[in-house]
């Protein structure tokens, strides 16, 4: 993964906010669960004062105070000893051992004091108070015994209970607020860590910047545009026909404009549209690129050269069985099997051959493409994916350049890089790349508002007016009009109905 700056981290944290929020809520829920399932614990505290018996002399009193401060810290360790806890267990008849009782006791010696605080934690508040007081009384007796000189009747050290334990009114644990805070922080931390890990492992292209950096690694072309995701694209193949002023239609117009500036001195005429792997939307881009070029006033022919899984004809509702392969084997002329898609012409794939790579790399294919280039202003060729098969690089000599499609969140950076290098290895020109199916909220280049004519309800009349204006323009330029020239989709006329596979001597499925 490339080196990321702060803005990159913030961007992918926002992109992964669902994971972070979900784990934050989960952590909070765990905090609530722990709070309600944990047995409440109560604490009761007794306070003892350590002093010396001899107070007649001021000097001795000061020395005794210093002595008591030094000794009281050692006394704290005696509180949990069996000598203190065993008698308390027997006296209060507790259902626990002296070791278990010792684990319930904590001591505290405030700094520079002779005070000793004994705290007992228990599940029952009244029992916590009784145990704390009992421990304090027994502890005072044990210290008196320890400090009494041999043969003396009393100990010079005296421990007095200055504050008896009281019955606690509220449990000290579980603490709902603390558990919720800890659960939320732990969940957010785990979510952030998981988001960082997923982003580090995710090699998919998720922005134009990702695609730009990926192409830069190969010294490849620029990103010429991005196409917003439209859930209705399968029902409305040509974006301009669905909504002439929609965002998706404008994306293809921007792509068309950027292609014109790729090489001003020698603008590409024969453009092959491909992708690294299947299902990245290359056919949709091919169709809409042809439509946007025709919308600009050019005569355009769309050729389906994907001889393994052709989809142009089915997407446009045309006939697929006669087309490119029919022309290549001499069964028909291009004009005989050409079909109309409204603003542009379509040469379907025809019958599928058993040797698509050899056919697309043949001189016959180059001759067909040259004849189309002589007849039309632009020829757009829909091809097979680059990485799975060798078909697309094989036709490199017949096209002016390739437009590489990458799908948002699906195409990996490695796949895009490998596809560009595969085309570069055969000397092909990669004109640029386009990021396809970008969610509307992810498309940073799109405005947050629709910019369309206020009379957009008259879209059909505007489209009809554009076609009426375009037709005489094409005729004055001496070209065959591409709108309405070819008959409506029907079974094309061919010289021979023998399948291509049969001509090659193989079976066709």
């Amino acid at each position: 993964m490339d080196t990321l700056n702060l803005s990159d981290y913030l961007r992918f944290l926002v992109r992964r906010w669902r994971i972070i929020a979900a784990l934050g809520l989960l952590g909070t829920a765990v905090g609530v669960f722990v709070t309600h399932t944990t047995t409440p614990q109560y604490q009761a505290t007794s306070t003892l004062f350590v002093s010396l018996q001899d107070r007649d002399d001021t000097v001795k009193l000061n020395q005794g105070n210093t002595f008591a401060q030094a000794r009281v810290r050692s006394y704290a360790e005696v509180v949990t000893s069996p000598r203190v806890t065993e008698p308390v267990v027997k006296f209060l008849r507790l259902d626990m051992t002296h070791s278990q009782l010792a684990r319930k006791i904590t001591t505290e010696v405030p700094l520079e004091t002779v005070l000793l605080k004994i705290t007992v934690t228990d599940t029952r508040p009244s029992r916590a108070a009784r145990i704390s007081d009992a421990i304090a009384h027994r502890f005072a007796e044990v210290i008196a015994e320890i400090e009494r000189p041999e043969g003396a009747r009393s100990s010079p050290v005296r421990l007095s209970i200055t504050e008896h334990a009281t019955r606690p009114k509220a449990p000290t644990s579980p603490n709902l607020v603390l558990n919720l805070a800890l659960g939320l922080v732990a969940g957010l931390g785990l979510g952030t860590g998981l988001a960082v890990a997923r982003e580090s492992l995710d090699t998919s292209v998720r922005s134009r910047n990702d695609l730009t950096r990926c192409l830069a690694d190969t010294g490849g072309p620029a990103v010429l545009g991005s196409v917003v995701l439209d859930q209705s694209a399968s029902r409305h193949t040509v974006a301009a026909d669905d909504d002439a002023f929609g965002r998706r239609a404008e994306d293809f117009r921007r792509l068309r404009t950027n292609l014109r500036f790729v090489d001003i001195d020698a603008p590409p005429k024969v453009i092959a549209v491909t992708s690294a792997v299947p299902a990245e939307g290359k056919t949709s881009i091919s169709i809409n690129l042809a439509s946007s070029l025709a919308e600009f006033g050019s005569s355009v022919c769309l050729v389906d050269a994907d001889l393994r899984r052709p989809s142009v004809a089915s997407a446009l509702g045309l006939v697929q069985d006669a087309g490119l392969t029919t022309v290549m084997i001499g069964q028909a002329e291009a004009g005989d099997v050409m079909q109309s898609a409204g603003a542009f012409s379509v040469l379907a794939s025809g019958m599928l051959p058993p040797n698509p790579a050899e056919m697309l790399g043949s001189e016959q294919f180059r001759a067909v493409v040259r004849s189309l280039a002589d007849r039309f202003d632009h020829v757009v060729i829909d091809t097979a994916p680059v990485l799975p098969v060798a078909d697309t690089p094989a036709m490199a000599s017949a096209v002016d350049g390739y437009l590489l499609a990458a799908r948002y969140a699906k195409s990996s950076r490695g796949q895009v890089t490998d596809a560009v290098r595969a085309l570069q290895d055969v000397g092909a020109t990669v004109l640029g790349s386009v990021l396809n199916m970008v969610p509307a909220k992810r498309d940073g280049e799109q405005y947050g508002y629709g910019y369309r004519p206020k009379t957009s309800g008259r879209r059909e009349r505007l489209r009809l007016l554009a076609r009426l204006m375009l037709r005489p323009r094409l005729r004055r330029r001496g070209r065959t009009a591409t709108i309405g020239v070819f008959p409506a989709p029907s079974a094309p006329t061919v010289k021979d109905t023998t399948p291509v596979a049969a001509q090659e001597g193989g079976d066709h499925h």
Side-chain angles (χ1 to χ4, degrees):
M1 186 175 181
D2 296 332
T3 302
L4 300 177
N5 53 36
L6 180 60
S7 62
D8 292 325
Y9 278 107
L10 293 177
R11 184 167 54 253
F12 74 68
L13 286 178
V14 171
R15 185 160 63 230
R16 306 283 186 181
W17 70 269
R18 290 182 179 84
I19 296 177
I20 300 174
L23 289 178
L25 291 175
L26 179 61
T28 304
V30 170
V32 173
F33 176 77
V34 169
T35 300
H36 287 282
T37 56
T38 302
T39 303
Q41 299 290 325
Y42 298 86
Q43 288 185 344
T45 302
S46 300
T47 304
L48 294 92
F49 181 84
V50 181
S51 61
L52 296 181
Q53 299 282 8
D54 189 0
R55 298 188 178 181
D56 296 335
D57 191 336
T58 303
V59 175
K60 291 183 178 180
L61 182 61
N62 291 332
Q63 291 176 347
N65 186 57
T66 303
F67 171 81
Q69 289 183 17
R71 300 286 277 185
V72 71
R73 297 190 179 279
S74 300
Y75 294 160
E77 301 297 328
V78 181
V79 177
T80 56
S81 65
R83 192 170 177 179
V84 176
T85 55
E86 280 185 356
V88 172
V89 170
K90 293 178 181 179
F91 176 73
L92 297 178
R93 297 180 181 179
L94 301 176
D95 54 348
M96 64 184 74
T97 65
H98 67 87
S99 298
Q100 292 173 330
L101 176 59
R103 287 193 291 270
K104 294 176 176 288
I105 302 171
T106 57
T107 58
E108 178 188 0
V109 179
L111 186 63
E112 296 182 355
T113 68
V114 291
L115 297 177
L116 177 63
K117 295 179 178 293
I118 300 175
T119 301
V120 175
T121 302
D122 194 71
T123 57
R124 294 161 56 184
S126 57
R127 188 168 66 176
R130 292 199 311 271
I131 294 175
S132 181
D133 276 344
I135 291 292
H137 283 290
R138 177 57 187 165
F139 175 66
E141 295 173 358
V142 171
I143 293 300
E145 294 175 2
I146 293 175
E147 295 289 0
R148 185 175 64 240
E150 187 176 352
R153 291 186 177 183
S154 62
S155 170
V157 178
R158 179 182 178 184
L159 272 70
S160 305
I161 300 178
T162 60
E163 183 180 355
H164 288 275
T166 59
R167 184 180 184 275
K169 297 180 180 180
T172 56
S173 68
N175 188 323
L176 176 60
V177 176
L178 179 60
N179 288 343
L180 290 179
L182 290 176
L184 178 61
V185 171
L188 292 177
L190 181 61
T192 302
L194 182 60
V196 173
R198 289 194 61 180
E199 190 70 19
S200 301
L201 297 175
D202 185 7
T203 61
S204 63
V205 177
R206 290 183 172 270
S207 67
R208 287 190 59 167
N209 289 336
D210 287 348
L211 188 55
T212 300
R213 285 195 293 263
C214 179
L215 295 174
D217 291 340
T218 62
V223 179
L224 299 181
S226 60
V227 179
V228 70
L229 175 64
D230 186 356
Q231 299 295 344
S232 64
S234 59
R235 299 190 303 272
H236 307 287
T237 306
V238 180
D241 288 347
D242 175 45
D243 187 353
F245 303 104
R247 292 177 58 175
R248 187 161 171 260
E250 292 298 334
D251 286 341
F252 286 112
R253 293 188 184 106
R254 184 184 296 111
L255 175 62
R256 174 198 67 194
T257 302
N258 291 339
L259 273 172
R260 294 180 61 201
F261 290 96
V262 168
D263 190 345
I264 298 178
D265 294 331
K269 189 171 186 178
V270 180
I271 303 171
V273 181
T274 189
S275 60
V277 293
E280 295 190 337
K282 62 177 180 58
T283 299
S284 175
I285 292 176
S286 301
I287 293 172
N288 283 278
L289 177 59
S291 174
S292 62
L293 289 170
E295 187 181 49
F296 193 67
S298 302
S299 58
V300 182
C301 179
L302 173 61
V303 181
D304 191 351
D306 186 348
L307 302 184
R308 296 178 187 266
R309 294 181 183 176
S311 53
V312 170
S314 60
L316 295 173
L318 305 178
V319 178
Q320 177 181 311
D321 292 340
L324 176 61
T325 56
T326 311
V327 176
M328 290 180 63
I329 62 176
Q331 290 184 347
E333 298 294 332
D336 297 333
V337 293
M338 195 78 68
Q339 303 177 68
S340 173
F344 57 94
S345 304
V346 176
L347 183 62
S349 64
M351 300 296 289
L352 302 186
N355 55 342
E358 288 74 10
M359 291 194 69
L360 294 175
S362 66
E363 179 59 35
Q364 186 63 25
F365 175 75
R366 289 191 289 272
V368 172
V369 173
R370 282 196 301 268
S371 66
L372 294 175
D374 292 338
R375 181 176 177 181
F376 294 91
D377 292 333
H378 295 286
V379 178
V380 179
I381 303 177
D382 183 40
T383 71
V386 176
L387 298 182
V389 293
D391 303 7
T392 301
M395 69 171 71
S397 59
V399 302
D400 295 333
Y402 290 87
L403 177 64
L404 182 66
R407 181 174 175 178
Y408 172 88
K410 183 178 183 297
S411 303
S412 70
R413 291 190 285 271
Q415 290 172 344
V416 173
T417 301
D418 290 344
V420 173
R421 287 175 177 164
L423 295 174
Q424 290 174 340
D425 288 343
V426 296
T429 300
V430 182
L431 302 173
S433 181
V434 56
L435 185 59
N436 195 24
M437 302 185 190
V438 182
K441 293 182 179 180
R442 307 289 187 184
D443 191 358
E445 291 194 345
Q446 298 292 348
Y447 294 102
Y449 55 88
Y451 192 72
R452 61 177 67 240
K454 294 182 180 180
T455 58
S456 58
R458 302 177 181 178
R459 182 177 57 204
E460 294 299 328
R461 279 183 283 177
L462 290 174
R463 186 181 303 146
L464 178 60
L465 179 61
R467 290 186 177 183
L468 291 175
M469 294 175 62
L470 178 61
R471 186 176 299 167
R473 177 184 174 185
L474 293 176
R475 289 175 178 172
R476 285 197 303 268
R477 294 172 62 181
R479 299 190 185 96
T480 302
T482 60
I483 301 177
V485 171
F486 300 105
S490 59
T493 304
V494 296
K495 296 180 180 179
D496 188 0
T497 58
T498 305
V500 175
Q503 294 289 335
E504 298 295 332
D507 296 331
H508 172 69
H509 297 281

